[in-house]
Amino acid sequence: MNKEVDEILSRGVGSFTDPEGVFKEKLEKKAQGKYPKDIIIKLGVDPSRPDIHLGHAVILRKLRQFQDLGCKVVFLVGDFTARIGDPSGKSKTRPEVEQAEVDKNAKTYIDQVGKILRTEPHLFSWIRNSDWFTNVTDLNLPDNYKVDMDVTVDGKTTKIKIPPNSFMGKAVVFEQSRMQVRDLGLKDRISVITILNVLWGLRHITHSRLVDRDLFQERIKSGQELYMHEMLYPVFQGIDSFVLSQIYGSCDLEVGGTDQTFNMLMGRDVMKANKALPQSVLSLEILPGLDGKEKMSKSLDNYIAVTDVPREMFGKVMSIPDSAIATYFKLATYTPLSEIKETEKKLEENKHNPRDTKLRLAHEIVSIYHGEKSAKEAEKDFIETFSQKGVPKDIDTVQGSQGEKISDILLAKGIVSSKTEWRRLVKDGAVTDLETETSVVSPDEVVSKGGNTLKVGKHRFIKIETK
């Protein structure tokens, strides 16, 4: 059993901060059925983008392994801090994200994590950090909003209407809308963070501790602006960990990418300052994107979404460079490490064909998210389509009009995310008209009289039929 724990705490791990082995000891006891309390593992997500890709899934799959040992994952949706924007890995100040967009993205995240995590209440919970970073007076209710309050006099209970934007009206709505009360059943107390709490935490964190961060030093040296709200972001993330420890009884471990290590360690500082048992920190290696170089990112269009259909997911995996094969096996599959090392060795010695190895990799990844049957169908479709230069049987077909701009149709269908992406693909010669076997050379290309069958990039196909 210790071997299983050791692999969970080492595979794909960039760093593990666990002074005196406190967390590891708890985990080993939990795996043996000797630790009756909940082990709470935190994952904080800034819901500024709605799609979960394989880069995020590296962390989610690690969390699933913890769940399989009996740990409880708390999925913290940073809907409050998303309006600030985490500067980690960003060379420029991030804009605020509007609350309506945050709410929409948060729901999408919650819907998608169920593809990987177990969501039974004893193994999974989620909560927003606006639950404690907003207060009664932050509410601004519509004038026609109905607020009723039960009042008991001489044993008789009567409902009375309260003006919604009065302090009493806001207080009633505030309590009723707190997830701590509504969803988690905590009625004796509500954790709320005030400016006084923030200042208390800041008394224990030095300016040099924050400004010495590599990211901030790079910004300063390059002459770019560094704003106070960005410096405070790690502090707020640390406060999240402390509050979770109050709500759930503990916050034993925080998990994130290596770009989040500084922020997660700040949680230890804040918890120590508040006399809470500090969390351990597990930083995971970051999965590169389809280019094999940059971090997987939607903004760079080098990602594989967990919601991609099997055929598209398979094709994207096949497009990664050979140099990234071993990394993808290690971070994106459950293949044993010993087997991965053997595969890597044979690739280096030219004893394995990289294409055949990627076929196995793509098959394993698709089977994780769509099942074995879909993986087999996607592999067969890939071989027929790409090896035999065919067209997928289930190619997307849309209606268009002769003379209509192809870019408008592809944008509406979601084949390309923007006209900027379309122009880049055309410029790179990555759009082919399969009817004429010629590249599309102009971003203003229009639908021909008989329609067009297009290959867009390495793995997207669409057939445009004329009306």
Side-chain angles (χ1 to χ4, degrees), residues 132-162:
W132 48 86
F133 280 127
T134 55
N135 212 323
V136 175
T137 53
D138 293 320
L139 298 181
N140 185 19
L141 304 170
D143 292 334
N144 61 351
Y145 194 89
K146 293 182 180 180
V147 180
D148 295 326
M149 183 177 181
D150 290 335
V151 177
T152 302
V153 179
D154 297 330
K156 294 182 179 180
T157 301
T158 306
K159 285 188 180 294
I160 62 172
K161 293 183 178 179
I162 304 174

PDB file of all heavy atoms in Angstrom, residues 132-162:
ATOM      1  N   TRP A 132     -17.380  33.883   1.259  1.00  0.00           N
ATOM      2  CA  TRP A 132     -16.800  34.554   2.423  1.00  0.00           C
ATOM      3  C   TRP A 132     -16.159  35.899   2.090  1.00  0.00           C
ATOM      4  O   TRP A 132     -15.907  36.707   2.965  1.00  0.00           O
ATOM      5  CB  TRP A 132     -15.775  33.661   3.119  1.00  0.00           C
ATOM      6  CG  TRP A 132     -14.763  32.998   2.239  1.00  0.00           C
ATOM      7  CD1 TRP A 132     -13.575  33.507   1.809  1.00  0.00           C
ATOM      8  CD2 TRP A 132     -14.864  31.681   1.683  1.00  0.00           C
ATOM      9  NE1 TRP A 132     -12.914  32.597   1.025  1.00  0.00           N
ATOM     10  CE2 TRP A 132     -13.677  31.455   0.929  1.00  0.00           C
ATOM     11  CE3 TRP A 132     -15.813  30.670   1.749  1.00  0.00           C
ATOM     12  CZ2 TRP A 132     -13.434  30.271   0.247  1.00  0.00           C
ATOM     13  CZ3 TRP A 132     -15.567  29.495   1.076  1.00  0.00           C
ATOM     14  CH2 TRP A 132     -14.397  29.296   0.334  1.00  0.00           C
ATOM     15  N   PHE A 133     -15.912  36.173   0.819  1.00  0.00           N
ATOM     16  CA  PHE A 133     -15.310  37.461   0.471  1.00  0.00           C
ATOM     17  C   PHE A 133     -16.350  38.544   0.189  1.00  0.00           C
ATOM     18  O   PHE A 133     -15.989  39.697  -0.061  1.00  0.00           O
ATOM     19  CB  PHE A 133     -14.379  37.313  -0.731  1.00  0.00           C
ATOM     20  CG  PHE A 133     -13.023  36.771  -0.379  1.00  0.00           C
ATOM     21  CD1 PHE A 133     -12.503  35.663  -1.041  1.00  0.00           C
ATOM     22  CD2 PHE A 133     -12.259  37.348   0.629  1.00  0.00           C
ATOM     23  CE1 PHE A 133     -11.252  35.148  -0.727  1.00  0.00           C
ATOM     24  CE2 PHE A 133     -11.017  36.842   0.956  1.00  0.00           C
ATOM     25  CZ  PHE A 133     -10.507  35.743   0.276  1.00  0.00           C
ATOM     26  N   THR A 134     -17.625  38.196   0.169  1.00  0.00           N
ATOM     27  CA  THR A 134     -18.667  39.219   0.071  1.00  0.00           C
ATOM     28  C   THR A 134     -19.404  39.267   1.399  1.00  0.00           C
ATOM     29  O   THR A 134     -19.508  38.264   2.107  1.00  0.00           O
ATOM     30  CB  THR A 134     -19.672  38.904  -1.060  1.00  0.00           C
ATOM     31  OG1 THR A 134     -20.229  37.595  -0.870  1.00  0.00           O
ATOM     32  CG2 THR A 134     -19.000  38.979  -2.409  1.00  0.00           C
ATOM     33  N   ASN A 135     -19.940  40.442   1.723  1.00  0.00           N
ATOM     34  CA  ASN A 135     -20.613  40.630   2.996  1.00  0.00           C
ATOM     35  C   ASN A 135     -22.029  41.132   2.768  1.00  0.00           C
ATOM     36  O   ASN A 135     -22.426  41.390   1.633  1.00  0.00           O
ATOM     37  CB  ASN A 135     -19.827  41.610   3.870  1.00  0.00           C
ATOM     38  CG  ASN A 135     -19.958  41.294   5.355  1.00  0.00           C
ATOM     39  OD1 ASN A 135     -21.022  40.883   5.827  1.00  0.00           O
ATOM     40  ND2 ASN A 135     -18.864  41.489   6.091  1.00  0.00           N
ATOM     41  N   VAL A 136     -22.757  41.301   3.847  1.00  0.00           N
ATOM     42  CA  VAL A 136     -24.158  41.727   3.759  1.00  0.00           C
ATOM     43  C   VAL A 136     -24.305  43.008   2.950  1.00  0.00           C
ATOM     44  O   VAL A 136     -25.153  43.117   2.062  1.00  0.00           O
ATOM     45  CB  VAL A 136     -24.747  41.929   5.175  1.00  0.00           C
ATOM     46  CG1 VAL A 136     -26.159  42.496   5.085  1.00  0.00           C
ATOM     47  CG2 VAL A 136     -24.752  40.627   5.946  1.00  0.00           C
ATOM     48  N   THR A 137     -23.464  43.983   3.235  1.00  0.00           N
ATOM     49  CA  THR A 137     -23.602  45.290   2.595  1.00  0.00           C
ATOM     50  C   THR A 137     -23.173  45.291   1.128  1.00  0.00           C
ATOM     51  O   THR A 137     -23.396  46.268   0.422  1.00  0.00           O
ATOM     52  CB  THR A 137     -22.782  46.349   3.361  1.00  0.00           C
ATOM     53  OG1 THR A 137     -21.438  45.887   3.511  1.00  0.00           O
ATOM     54  CG2 THR A 137     -23.395  46.596   4.733  1.00  0.00           C
ATOM     55  N   ASP A 138     -22.560  44.192   0.668  1.00  0.00           N
ATOM     56  CA  ASP A 138     -22.183  44.111  -0.744  1.00  0.00           C
ATOM     57  C   ASP A 138     -23.377  43.799  -1.640  1.00  0.00           C
ATOM     58  O   ASP A 138     -23.297  43.959  -2.859  1.00  0.00           O
ATOM     59  CB  ASP A 138     -21.105  43.037  -0.955  1.00  0.00           C
ATOM     60  CG  ASP A 138     -19.787  43.409  -0.298  1.00  0.00           C
ATOM     61  OD1 ASP A 138     -19.424  44.602  -0.364  1.00  0.00           O
ATOM     62  OD2 ASP A 138     -19.128  42.515   0.258  1.00  0.00           O
ATOM     63  N   LEU A 139     -24.465  43.324  -1.054  1.00  0.00           N
ATOM     64  CA  LEU A 139     -25.632  42.963  -1.833  1.00  0.00           C
ATOM     65  C   LEU A 139     -26.362  44.209  -2.319  1.00  0.00           C
ATOM     66  O   LEU A 139     -26.491  45.200  -1.601  1.00  0.00           O
ATOM     67  CB  LEU A 139     -26.603  42.106  -1.006  1.00  0.00           C
ATOM     68  CG  LEU A 139     -26.075  40.758  -0.508  1.00  0.00           C
ATOM     69  CD1 LEU A 139     -27.161  40.033   0.277  1.00  0.00           C
ATOM     70  CD2 LEU A 139     -25.611  39.894  -1.672  1.00  0.00           C
ATOM     71  N   ASN A 140     -26.841  44.146  -3.540  1.00  0.00           N
ATOM     72  CA  ASN A 140     -27.653  45.232  -4.105  1.00  0.00           C
ATOM     73  C   ASN A 140     -28.818  44.574  -4.831  1.00  0.00           C
ATOM     74  O   ASN A 140     -28.696  44.142  -5.970  1.00  0.00           O
ATOM     75  CB  ASN A 140     -26.827  46.088  -5.070  1.00  0.00           C
ATOM     76  CG  ASN A 140     -27.603  47.297  -5.569  1.00  0.00           C
ATOM     77  OD1 ASN A 140     -28.594  47.695  -4.965  1.00  0.00           O
ATOM     78  ND2 ASN A 140     -27.154  47.867  -6.671  1.00  0.00           N
ATOM     79  N   LEU A 141     -29.949  44.473  -4.150  1.00  0.00           N
ATOM     80  CA  LEU A 141     -31.084  43.704  -4.652  1.00  0.00           C
ATOM     81  C   LEU A 141     -32.045  44.579  -5.451  1.00  0.00           C
ATOM     82  O   LEU A 141     -32.178  45.782  -5.189  1.00  0.00           O
ATOM     83  CB  LEU A 141     -31.833  43.072  -3.473  1.00  0.00           C
ATOM     84  CG  LEU A 141     -30.975  42.184  -2.553  1.00  0.00           C
ATOM     85  CD1 LEU A 141     -31.744  41.817  -1.293  1.00  0.00           C
ATOM     86  CD2 LEU A 141     -30.534  40.937  -3.292  1.00  0.00           C
ATOM     87  N   PRO A 142     -32.743  44.004  -6.421  1.00  0.00           N
ATOM     88  CA  PRO A 142     -33.761  44.761  -7.172  1.00  0.00           C
ATOM     89  C   PRO A 142     -34.852  45.238  -6.219  1.00  0.00           C
ATOM     90  O   PRO A 142     -35.194  44.552  -5.247  1.00  0.00           O
ATOM     91  CB  PRO A 142     -34.312  43.725  -8.170  1.00  0.00           C
ATOM     92  CG  PRO A 142     -33.262  42.666  -8.264  1.00  0.00           C
ATOM     93  CD  PRO A 142     -32.606  42.618  -6.925  1.00  0.00           C
ATOM     94  N   ASP A 143     -35.425  46.377  -6.498  1.00  0.00           N
ATOM     95  CA  ASP A 143     -36.452  46.935  -5.609  1.00  0.00           C
ATOM     96  C   ASP A 143     -37.687  46.048  -5.504  1.00  0.00           C
ATOM     97  O   ASP A 143     -38.405  46.083  -4.498  1.00  0.00           O
ATOM     98  CB  ASP A 143     -36.857  48.341  -6.090  1.00  0.00           C
ATOM     99  CG  ASP A 143     -35.732  49.346  -5.912  1.00  0.00           C
ATOM    100  OD1 ASP A 143     -34.889  49.116  -5.006  1.00  0.00           O
ATOM    101  OD2 ASP A 143     -35.680  50.335  -6.672  1.00  0.00           O
ATOM    102  N   ASN A 144     -37.941  45.247  -6.565  1.00  0.00           N
ATOM    103  CA  ASN A 144     -39.121  44.375  -6.538  1.00  0.00           C
ATOM    104  C   ASN A 144     -38.815  42.983  -5.985  1.00  0.00           C
ATOM    105  O   ASN A 144     -39.634  42.079  -6.066  1.00  0.00           O
ATOM    106  CB  ASN A 144     -39.730  44.254  -7.943  1.00  0.00           C
ATOM    107  CG  ASN A 144     -38.756  43.650  -8.945  1.00  0.00           C
ATOM    108  OD1 ASN A 144     -37.582  43.470  -8.638  1.00  0.00           O
ATOM    109  ND2 ASN A 144     -39.244  43.342 -10.133  1.00  0.00           N
ATOM    110  N   TYR A 145     -37.618  42.807  -5.449  1.00  0.00           N
ATOM    111  CA  TYR A 145     -37.220  41.509  -4.887  1.00  0.00           C
ATOM    112  C   TYR A 145     -38.013  41.274  -3.599  1.00  0.00           C
ATOM    113  O   TYR A 145     -38.125  42.163  -2.746  1.00  0.00           O
ATOM    114  CB  TYR A 145     -35.723  41.518  -4.586  1.00  0.00           C
ATOM    115  CG  TYR A 145     -35.130  40.162  -4.328  1.00  0.00           C
ATOM    116  CD1 TYR A 145     -34.641  39.397  -5.383  1.00  0.00           C
ATOM    117  CD2 TYR A 145     -35.048  39.643  -3.042  1.00  0.00           C
ATOM    118  CE1 TYR A 145     -34.082  38.136  -5.160  1.00  0.00           C
ATOM    119  CE2 TYR A 145     -34.493  38.406  -2.809  1.00  0.00           C
ATOM    120  CZ  TYR A 145     -34.010  37.658  -3.870  1.00  0.00           C
ATOM    121  OH  TYR A 145     -33.467  36.423  -3.646  1.00  0.00           O
ATOM    122  N   LYS A 146     -38.585  40.075  -3.439  1.00  0.00           N
ATOM    123  CA  LYS A 146     -39.405  39.779  -2.275  1.00  0.00           C
ATOM    124  C   LYS A 146     -38.577  39.122  -1.179  1.00  0.00           C
ATOM    125  O   LYS A 146     -37.912  38.122  -1.410  1.00  0.00           O
ATOM    126  CB  LYS A 146     -40.557  38.858  -2.663  1.00  0.00           C
ATOM    127  CG  LYS A 146     -41.581  39.504  -3.594  1.00  0.00           C
ATOM    128  CD  LYS A 146     -42.730  38.558  -3.894  1.00  0.00           C
ATOM    129  CE  LYS A 146     -43.754  39.216  -4.817  1.00  0.00           C
ATOM    130  NZ  LYS A 146     -44.896  38.312  -5.118  1.00  0.00           N
ATOM    131  N   VAL A 147     -38.625  39.728  -0.002  1.00  0.00           N
ATOM    132  CA  VAL A 147     -37.931  39.173   1.161  1.00  0.00           C
ATOM    133  C   VAL A 147     -38.942  38.998   2.281  1.00  0.00           C
ATOM    134  O   VAL A 147     -39.551  39.967   2.745  1.00  0.00           O
ATOM    135  CB  VAL A 147     -36.792  40.102   1.637  1.00  0.00           C
ATOM    136  CG1 VAL A 147     -36.093  39.485   2.846  1.00  0.00           C
ATOM    137  CG2 VAL A 147     -35.807  40.354   0.517  1.00  0.00           C
ATOM    138  N   ASP A 148     -39.165  37.743   2.673  1.00  0.00           N
ATOM    139  CA  ASP A 148     -40.081  37.439   3.772  1.00  0.00           C
ATOM    140  C   ASP A 148     -39.293  36.941   4.970  1.00  0.00           C
ATOM    141  O   ASP A 148     -38.278  36.249   4.828  1.00  0.00           O
ATOM    142  CB  ASP A 148     -41.090  36.360   3.360  1.00  0.00           C
ATOM    143  CG  ASP A 148     -42.012  36.840   2.249  1.00  0.00           C
ATOM    144  OD1 ASP A 148     -42.330  38.047   2.236  1.00  0.00           O
ATOM    145  OD2 ASP A 148     -42.416  36.017   1.402  1.00  0.00           O
ATOM    146  N   MET A 149     -39.806  37.281   6.153  1.00  0.00           N
ATOM    147  CA  MET A 149     -39.136  36.861   7.379  1.00  0.00           C
ATOM    148  C   MET A 149     -40.177  36.339   8.357  1.00  0.00           C
ATOM    149  O   MET A 149     -41.243  36.947   8.532  1.00  0.00           O
ATOM    150  CB  MET A 149     -38.369  38.034   8.000  1.00  0.00           C
ATOM    151  CG  MET A 149     -37.586  37.681   9.250  1.00  0.00           C
ATOM    152  SD  MET A 149     -36.634  39.102   9.855  1.00  0.00           S
ATOM    153  CE  MET A 149     -35.828  38.362  11.271  1.00  0.00           C
ATOM    154  N   ASP A 150     -39.882  35.184   8.964  1.00  0.00           N
ATOM    155  CA  ASP A 150     -40.795  34.627   9.961  1.00  0.00           C
ATOM    156  C   ASP A 150     -40.566  35.311  11.300  1.00  0.00           C
ATOM    157  O   ASP A 150     -39.436  35.356  11.798  1.00  0.00           O
ATOM    158  CB  ASP A 150     -40.565  33.123  10.115  1.00  0.00           C
ATOM    159  CG  ASP A 150     -41.022  32.335   8.899  1.00  0.00           C
ATOM    160  OD1 ASP A 150     -41.908  32.841   8.182  1.00  0.00           O
ATOM    161  OD2 ASP A 150     -40.496  31.223   8.669  1.00  0.00           O
ATOM    162  N   VAL A 151     -41.641  35.853  11.880  1.00  0.00           N
ATOM    163  CA  VAL A 151     -41.566  36.506  13.193  1.00  0.00           C
ATOM    164  C   VAL A 151     -42.538  35.799  14.135  1.00  0.00           C
ATOM    165  O   VAL A 151     -43.711  35.609  13.798  1.00  0.00           O
ATOM    166  CB  VAL A 151     -41.936  37.998  13.082  1.00  0.00           C
ATOM    167  CG1 VAL A 151     -41.933  38.638  14.470  1.00  0.00           C
ATOM    168  CG2 VAL A 151     -40.949  38.721  12.174  1.00  0.00           C
ATOM    169  N   THR A 152     -42.050  35.363  15.277  1.00  0.00           N
ATOM    170  CA  THR A 152     -42.880  34.649  16.253  1.00  0.00           C
ATOM    171  C   THR A 152     -43.153  35.537  17.459  1.00  0.00           C
ATOM    172  O   THR A 152     -42.223  36.032  18.105  1.00  0.00           O
ATOM    173  CB  THR A 152     -42.187  33.352  16.701  1.00  0.00           C
ATOM    174  OG1 THR A 152     -41.936  32.529  15.563  1.00  0.00           O
ATOM    175  CG2 THR A 152     -43.078  32.587  17.675  1.00  0.00           C
ATOM    176  N   VAL A 153     -44.431  35.762  17.753  1.00  0.00           N
ATOM    177  CA  VAL A 153     -44.861  36.565  18.904  1.00  0.00           C
ATOM    178  C   VAL A 153     -45.931  35.769  19.652  1.00  0.00           C
ATOM    179  O   VAL A 153     -46.938  35.354  19.048  1.00  0.00           O
ATOM    180  CB  VAL A 153     -45.419  37.928  18.467  1.00  0.00           C
ATOM    181  CG1 VAL A 153     -45.875  38.720  19.691  1.00  0.00           C
ATOM    182  CG2 VAL A 153     -44.382  38.706  17.666  1.00  0.00           C
ATOM    183  N   ASP A 154     -45.710  35.572  20.952  1.00  0.00           N
ATOM    184  CA  ASP A 154     -46.669  34.817  21.785  1.00  0.00           C
ATOM    185  C   ASP A 154     -47.010  33.463  21.175  1.00  0.00           C
ATOM    186  O   ASP A 154     -48.179  33.025  21.166  1.00  0.00           O
ATOM    187  CB  ASP A 154     -47.958  35.633  21.990  1.00  0.00           C
ATOM    188  CG  ASP A 154     -47.713  36.922  22.754  1.00  0.00           C
ATOM    189  OD1 ASP A 154     -46.765  36.937  23.585  1.00  0.00           O
ATOM    190  OD2 ASP A 154     -48.443  37.891  22.533  1.00  0.00           O
ATOM    191  N   GLY A 155     -45.993  32.809  20.622  1.00  0.00           N
ATOM    192  CA  GLY A 155     -46.192  31.478  20.090  1.00  0.00           C
ATOM    193  C   GLY A 155     -46.772  31.418  18.689  1.00  0.00           C
ATOM    194  O   GLY A 155     -46.937  30.333  18.133  1.00  0.00           O
ATOM    195  N   LYS A 156     -47.118  32.565  18.132  1.00  0.00           N
ATOM    196  CA  LYS A 156     -47.676  32.593  16.778  1.00  0.00           C
ATOM    197  C   LYS A 156     -46.631  33.120  15.790  1.00  0.00           C
ATOM    198  O   LYS A 156     -46.007  34.140  16.048  1.00  0.00           O
ATOM    199  CB  LYS A 156     -48.913  33.481  16.730  1.00  0.00           C
ATOM    200  CG  LYS A 156     -50.078  32.944  17.554  1.00  0.00           C
ATOM    201  CD  LYS A 156     -51.306  33.854  17.424  1.00  0.00           C
ATOM    202  CE  LYS A 156     -52.488  33.297  18.226  1.00  0.00           C
ATOM    203  NZ  LYS A 156     -53.681  34.178  18.091  1.00  0.00           N
ATOM    204  N   THR A 157     -46.465  32.381  14.677  1.00  0.00           N
ATOM    205  CA  THR A 157     -45.482  32.770  13.659  1.00  0.00           C
ATOM    206  C   THR A 157     -46.172  33.430  12.481  1.00  0.00           C
ATOM    207  O   THR A 157     -47.156  32.902  11.940  1.00  0.00           O
ATOM    208  CB  THR A 157     -44.698  31.542  13.165  1.00  0.00           C
ATOM    209  OG1 THR A 157     -44.032  30.930  14.275  1.00  0.00           O
ATOM    210  CG2 THR A 157     -43.665  31.949  12.112  1.00  0.00           C
ATOM    211  N   THR A 158     -45.668  34.593  12.112  1.00  0.00           N
ATOM    212  CA  THR A 158     -46.247  35.355  11.004  1.00  0.00           C
ATOM    213  C   THR A 158     -45.133  35.756  10.033  1.00  0.00           C
ATOM    214  O   THR A 158     -44.025  36.095  10.452  1.00  0.00           O
ATOM    215  CB  THR A 158     -46.942  36.635  11.513  1.00  0.00           C
ATOM    216  OG1 THR A 158     -47.893  36.265  12.512  1.00  0.00           O
ATOM    217  CG2 THR A 158     -47.641  37.361  10.367  1.00  0.00           C
ATOM    218  N   LYS A 159     -45.435  35.694   8.754  1.00  0.00           N
ATOM    219  CA  LYS A 159     -44.482  36.159   7.745  1.00  0.00           C
ATOM    220  C   LYS A 159     -44.692  37.653   7.529  1.00  0.00           C
ATOM    221  O   LYS A 159     -45.817  38.103   7.298  1.00  0.00           O
ATOM    222  CB  LYS A 159     -44.682  35.422   6.419  1.00  0.00           C
ATOM    223  CG  LYS A 159     -44.156  33.992   6.401  1.00  0.00           C
ATOM    224  CD  LYS A 159     -44.215  33.412   5.005  1.00  0.00           C
ATOM    225  CE  LYS A 159     -43.684  31.988   4.974  1.00  0.00           C
ATOM    226  NZ  LYS A 159     -42.240  31.921   5.273  1.00  0.00           N
ATOM    227  N   ILE A 160     -43.598  38.391   7.577  1.00  0.00           N
ATOM    228  CA  ILE A 160     -43.681  39.824   7.291  1.00  0.00           C
ATOM    229  C   ILE A 160     -42.747  40.157   6.132  1.00  0.00           C
ATOM    230  O   ILE A 160     -41.714  39.526   5.949  1.00  0.00           O
ATOM    231  CB  ILE A 160     -43.302  40.675   8.528  1.00  0.00           C
ATOM    232  CG1 ILE A 160     -41.850  40.398   8.952  1.00  0.00           C
ATOM    233  CG2 ILE A 160     -44.267  40.411   9.676  1.00  0.00           C
ATOM    234  CD1 ILE A 160     -41.368  41.348  10.040  1.00  0.00           C
ATOM    235  N   LYS A 161     -43.169  41.104   5.325  1.00  0.00           N
ATOM    236  CA  LYS A 161     -42.348  41.524   4.199  1.00  0.00           C
ATOM    237  C   LYS A 161     -41.344  42.574   4.661  1.00  0.00           C
ATOM    238  O   LYS A 161     -41.677  43.463   5.442  1.00  0.00           O
ATOM    239  CB  LYS A 161     -43.221  42.071   3.089  1.00  0.00           C
ATOM    240  CG  LYS A 161     -44.115  41.021   2.436  1.00  0.00           C
ATOM    241  CD  LYS A 161     -44.918  41.610   1.277  1.00  0.00           C
ATOM    242  CE  LYS A 161     -45.762  40.528   0.611  1.00  0.00           C
ATOM    243  NZ  LYS A 161     -46.569  41.079  -0.508  1.00  0.00           N
ATOM    244  N   ILE A 162     -40.118  42.453   4.147  1.00  0.00           N
ATOM    245  CA  ILE A 162     -39.050  43.374   4.526  1.00  0.00           C
ATOM    246  C   ILE A 162     -38.525  44.057   3.271  1.00  0.00           C
ATOM    247  O   ILE A 162     -38.309  43.401   2.240  1.00  0.00           O
ATOM    248  CB  ILE A 162     -37.898  42.613   5.206  1.00  0.00           C
ATOM    249  CG1 ILE A 162     -38.417  41.830   6.407  1.00  0.00           C
ATOM    250  CG2 ILE A 162     -36.787  43.564   5.637  1.00  0.00           C
ATOM    251  CD1 ILE A 162     -37.383  40.942   7.042  1.00  0.00           C
TER     252      ILE A 162
END
